[in-house]
Amino acid sequence: GRDSRPRSKGHTFTYTGIMKCGECGSAITASEKQKTLKGSGELKTYVFYHCTKRKKGAENCSQNKWLPLSDLEGLILKEIEKYSVSQSFKKFIFEYIKYTSTEVLVQEEAIKANQQKEISKLETEIKNLFQMRVSESIDDNEYQKERKIREQKLTFLTKQIEETEYSLNGFISRMEEKLGQVTDMKSRFEKKPESRKSIFLALGWNYELKDNKLF
């Protein structure tokens, strides 16, 4: 009823952009529908997920049913129950990994410490070269040549340290991150609506919805 120009209202739905139709391959989108409850007269908003039928050749897609948000989250919970990891199991896994990997971790830390020492030494040498150039103990050609040699060694050592960190220690960190995503998933999914999308993405990929079933 206002005089200003009408503006379209945007919606953000939790699970759009993740699923596709299992029949025609079109994206699954969501829509809001409002319904007045009998008795109370309360206007309630419901969210439904359905096929967009926008992919080429999708006009004959038979997926016409709209899946309520509550039903979709029920399907997600069923999948979560299959893969959810308990805190005690997560703890056991990491105790086992660390127990079997202690020797390798010690070796990696020793290698890394030596590499860090070498880096510090090279950085000091570069500073000393600069001081020598300032005091004209060496000419510019010699300064540039010696500095380049040390900078190349620095680049090589820095890359080696990154590779060392990405080996066993990196593997443990990645394992911890992945297991953290699946630990107590069901409880987190039920209690923290803001985490549901990230949990859904951590659970799998290439989701398909067909005949109101999630694959």
Side-chain angles (χ1 to χ4, degrees), residues 41-208:
E42 180 190 352
L43 188 66
K44 195 133 184 180
T45 302
Y46 296 90
V47 175
F48 295 86
Y49 283 79
H50 56 93
C51 176
T52 56
K53 298 187 179 182
R54 286 182 181 169
K55 203 167 183 180
K56 191 176 178 182
E59 52 274 359
N60 297 320
C61 179
S62 65
Q63 300 301 306
N64 298 317
K65 290 181 180 179
W66 288 28
L67 184 68
L69 172 62
S70 57
D71 289 5
L72 174 62
E73 290 188 329
L75 294 174
I76 296 169
L77 270 171
K78 278 185 180 178
E79 289 301 308
I80 284 172
E81 285 171 353
K82 295 178 188 176
Y83 306 108
S84 194
V85 170
S86 69
Q87 287 287 355
S88 58
F89 186 66
K90 180 187 173 185
K91 185 182 175 184
F92 165 76
I93 287 173
F94 282 102
E95 283 177 353
Y96 179 77
I97 289 173
K98 284 171 184 176
Y99 172 75
T100 55
S101 311
T102 303
E103 190 177 334
V104 179
L105 283 168
V106 168
Q107 288 171 358
E108 283 192 358
E109 287 302 316
I111 291 166
K112 189 178 170 183
N114 287 331
Q115 289 167 336
Q116 291 287 8
K117 279 182 186 177
E118 187 64 25
I119 283 173
S120 297
K121 182 185 170 187
L122 287 165
E123 287 172 344
T124 302
E125 287 178 4
I126 289 169
K127 286 178 185 175
N128 291 339
L129 280 168
F130 178 73
Q131 292 300 325
M132 290 170 73
R133 179 68 192 104
V134 169
S135 64
E136 296 186 347
S137 300
I138 55 173
D139 61 28
D140 195 55
N141 285 337
E142 192 176 355
Y143 167 70
Q144 294 294 346
K145 178 187 171 185
E146 293 299 324
R147 177 174 175 159
K148 188 177 180 181
I149 290 168
R150 284 155 181 81
E151 283 178 342
Q152 285 174 341
K153 285 181 180 179
L154 267 175
T155 303
F156 176 73
L157 279 167
T158 303
K159 190 177 178 183
Q160 276 194 323
I161 286 175
E162 285 173 1
E163 287 172 355
T164 304
E165 286 176 344
Y166 197 73
S167 52
L168 187 57
N169 257 322
F171 167 74
I172 291 171
S173 295
R174 294 192 301 278
M175 276 288 289
E176 194 162 14
E177 182 190 347
K178 291 294 179 187
L179 274 173
Q181 289 173 341
V182 295
T183 301
D184 294 336
M185 268 199 304
K186 185 174 183 290
S187 174
R188 287 188 293 119
F189 190 89
E190 289 173 328
K191 293 175 183 177
K192 295 182 179 179
E194 69 278 5
S195 301
R196 287 175 184 174
K197 185 171 185 174
S198 61
I199 292 169
F200 189 44
L201 289 169
L203 185 65
W205 62 284
N206 197 29
Y207 287 106
E208 289 187 355

